[in-house]
Amino acid sequence: MPINMYEGMFLLDSAKASVAWEETVQQVHGILTKHGSEIVASRQWDEKRLAYPVKGHRKGTYLLTFFKADASRLKDISHDCKLNDVILRELILKVHPKLAEASVQQGMSATPTEEEERRSDEEIDERERPRRRSRRDD
């Protein structure tokens, strides 16, 4: 089976990631390399308050990783991510071969702006507030 480029977004436990970032990243990279992946690029993406609790956590740190792997190994990678207590969630997407280089460059340089983060936080706040029902007295 051919080797493909993948983009992996890993949601990590913020408490553990903030104490030992390098060790946390090594756990994720260890899972990938264990299954024959070649890590192309990796970086901390962002730390955010989550819209809803994930495994009891209200905050999470995102790790963006681009890697090459055999498609048949993705199921094993996903399985190992679910068993790891530092990884709360993972999303792995195949990158189109023609877009691989551009995707890696953009992913390694682009970070959400403060305006985008504030807008995102405001949307979360809006969802958490109960809506008042208007009463019409006719």
Side-chain angles (χ1 to χ4, degrees), residues 60-118:
T61 303
Y62 292 91
L63 174 68
L64 176 64
T65 304
F66 290 90
F67 60 96
K68 294 179 181 178
D70 187 332
S72 65
R73 305 304 299 256
L74 290 180
K75 186 175 179 182
D76 296 330
I77 291 170
S78 182
H79 179 262
D80 283 0
C81 287
K82 287 175 179 40
L83 295 177
N84 189 299
D85 62 337
V86 174
I87 303 171
L88 304 177
R89 294 265 167 92
E90 90 284 342
L91 175 65
I92 299 173
L93 302 172
K94 181 179 176 184
V95 177
H96 191 283
K98 291 183 180 179
L99 302 175
E101 188 175 324
S103 295
V104 171
Q105 286 178 342
Q106 182 180 9
M108 292 299 109
S109 64
T111 302
T113 64
E114 287 183 29
E115 173 66 26
E116 291 170 333
E117 288 181 18
R118 190 173 67 252

Side-chain angles (χ1 to χ4, degrees), residues 1-45:
M1 195 161 253
I3 303 295
N4 297 311
M5 173 76 81
Y6 294 94
E7 175 181 346
M9 183 66 80
F10 299 90
L11 176 60
L12 309 174
D13 180 344
S14 284
K16 292 178 182 175
S18 65
V19 173
W21 176 250
E22 289 302 319
E23 292 172 14
T24 304
V25 171
Q26 285 306 316
Q27 286 186 36
V28 176
H29 289 182
I31 291 171
L32 296 173
T33 56
K34 172 184 169 185
H35 297 289
S37 301
E38 174 193 340
I39 297 168
V40 176
S42 184
R43 77 178 190 103
Q44 181 176 347
W45 181 254

